[in-house]
Amino acid sequence: MRNHSLVYAPRIRDLLDRTEKVFRIDPATVGVADCRLLADIVAARPVRSDERSVYKPAAGADIPHDSATRTIRALGQDVMAGIRTPPPPARALAGAWPYASTSYLRRWLFASDPLPVSLLSKRGVTRSDALSRIVDRAVTLRPGSEAAGRSTALAGLIRGASDPLDRKQAIAMYRRATATLCDGVAALAGNALWLLRQAREQRGEERGAAPADLTAALWETLRLLPPAWMLWRKGGDAYTALHPEIGPGDDVALFPLLMHRHPDYWSDPMEFRPERWTGVADPEKTPAFMPFGFDGARCWAKHLVVPLAERLLTVAFDNGLVIRGPHRDAPVPLRSLLSVRFDAATGA
């Protein structure tokens, strides 16, 4: 796009250069971007607990279904309460994205929790195994009071745990849920900012208010730069009859990133065209579109991600947030979430 481009990590670039829909990545892994085969793989067997992210085993035991349900409900309450409150000062959005926006979201949604509970989601703590263990033990022994009713529902699950194992799992779920939500929303919002900037520069606009249909811009961002760009399935006999390339010992990597860009499924697949979603009542029912995973492993926070990203972007636009650099090539590193790296400044 004009004088700016994305520079993907080499392994991502190699994937994007492929034209085939089913291909071998290495001797033990097959990649899939074929819409029909992907659906067959999804339907072949239920998702295993160790293939999940947030709900994988914690504290040496599986996460019970009722515990997972309580976590989803609590997180939904916290996000809905958070986006109804005034956001923090927008100057905190300045700096390196997506890190600045991740920290901003954590402060917005979870800062009311008592110490040390609020430390569970702090980036400086989560990046250190030693600090994480110290904070986890402190919360296990002393989860804190409700702070006059202002703490989050997620923190309430920690305080209300019935025994040490339940409390340890509630702590793990707090950490995973807050990190997954904030990291995912920050990646989506940052990717949308970058794509919208390029579209405006193509039209000769330097900056401007939020687009009239910001929701459509976010759905189009989820198509071109889906944060959850790859989904992993462990191998087994359930897949061998679905395609001759898949052997009994092969793991399978499903690539929404490639499927979302394939010309067999999309017109002008490399163009950022938010208008393609105008009037679409349920984008997730669009063929060859998998922004939030699939049944059995669908993102547990999918109903929160787009509204929260829209709210975050509205704050950014209202306060004159602009991308300052890199001046030419923006990096997209190989990480679990696909996110453009850039520096931003705000007029607030």
Side-chain angles (χ1 to χ4, degrees):
M1 290 184 177
R2 247 188 168 187
N3 295 323
H4 305 278
S5 62
L6 292 177
V7 178
Y8 296 94
R11 289 180 64 184
I12 302 176
R13 181 72 266 168
D14 289 345
L15 290 170
L16 292 172
D17 287 340
R18 293 181 176 272
T19 57
E20 65 268 44
K21 297 178 186 175
V22 182
F23 50 89
R24 186 159 290 279
I25 299 174
D26 57 45
T29 311
V30 174
V32 177
D34 180 88
C35 178
R36 183 170 298 178
L37 177 59
L38 198 148
D40 290 342
I41 290 172
V42 167
R45 66 164 173 80
V47 180
R48 298 172 182 169
S49 61
D50 57 353
E51 293 172 332
R52 301 180 185 274
S53 54
V54 175
Y55 299 125
K56 63 186 177 183
D62 286 341
I63 300 293
H65 182 268
D66 60 343
S67 176
T69 301
R70 286 196 299 271
T71 300
I72 295 171
R73 290 175 178 169
L75 186 66
Q77 293 173 28
D78 294 336
V79 170
M80 292 300 103
I83 62 178
R84 288 193 297 266
T85 62
R91 61 179 177 271
L93 286 173
W97 277 56
Y99 305 119
S101 51
T102 299
S103 298
Y104 186 88
L105 287 166
R106 287 171 174 168
R107 179 180 174 186
W108 192 355
L109 301 176
F110 305 107
S112 65
D113 286 334
L115 288 173
V117 171
S118 63
L119 295 177
L120 291 171
S121 66
K122 298 295 185 183
R123 183 168 175 262
V125 173
T126 58
R127 295 181 68 188
S128 168
D129 290 341
L131 283 176
S132 293
R133 287 194 295 271
I134 293 171
V135 171
D136 285 4
R137 177 153 181 80
V139 178
T140 301
L141 297 175
R142 190 180 179 88
S145 65
E146 195 175 345
R150 291 174 52 250
S151 63
T152 65
L154 276 178
L157 296 181
I158 297 175
R159 290 192 305 273
S162 57
D163 57 56
L165 175 60
D166 285 345
R167 180 164 290 173
K168 288 180 180 179
Q169 289 198 327
I171 290 168
M173 295 295 282
Y174 182 104
R175 188 190 300 282
R176 294 175 189 175
T178 56
T180 301
L181 176 74
C182 294
D183 290 351
V185 171
L188 173 57
N191 293 348
L193 273 175
W194 196 91
L195 290 169
L196 285 165
R197 176 205 192 191
Q198 310 318 309
R200 282 178 166 161
E201 288 195 353
Q202 284 185 335
R203 297 192 299 266
E205 302 172 7
E206 288 298 321
R207 64 177 67 182
D213 194 346
L214 188 51
T215 303
L218 286 167
W219 284 112
E220 181 69 345
T221 299
L222 284 165
R223 184 186 69 83
L224 273 176
L225 292 171
W229 59 283
M230 188 271 286
L231 304 165
W232 191 265
R233 303 305 259 185
K234 291 185 179 296
D237 294 338
Y239 303 142
T240 55
L242 301 179
H243 194 278
E245 184 67 38
I246 305 175
D250 288 331
D251 292 331
V252 179
L254 311 177
F255 289 104
L257 174 66
L258 305 186
M259 184 174 66
H260 290 182
R261 293 166 172 242
H262 204 284
D264 284 358
Y265 306 131
W266 303 90
S267 60
D268 300 320
M270 302 308 296
E271 295 295 320
F272 179 65
R273 291 174 44 196
E275 63 272 14
R276 75 173 82 232
W277 300 104
T278 301
V280 179
D282 189 350
E284 287 191 88
K285 292 183 178 179
T286 303
F289 187 52
M290 186 184 286
F292 295 115
F294 47 83
D295 290 341
R298 198 173 299 276
C299 175
W300 43 271
K302 73 184 188 84
H303 62 294
L304 306 173
V305 170
V306 172
L308 187 54
E310 186 171 351
R311 183 81 168 91
L312 177 63
L313 286 176
T314 299
V315 173
F317 282 115
D318 287 349
N319 289 274
L321 189 85
V322 293
I323 297 175
R324 293 300 189 193
H327 296 295
R328 186 171 180 83
D329 298 329
V332 181
L334 182 65
R335 300 288 296 274
S336 57
L337 291 178
L338 193 74
S339 57
V340 183
R341 269 37 175 180
F342 57 81
D343 289 320
T346 178

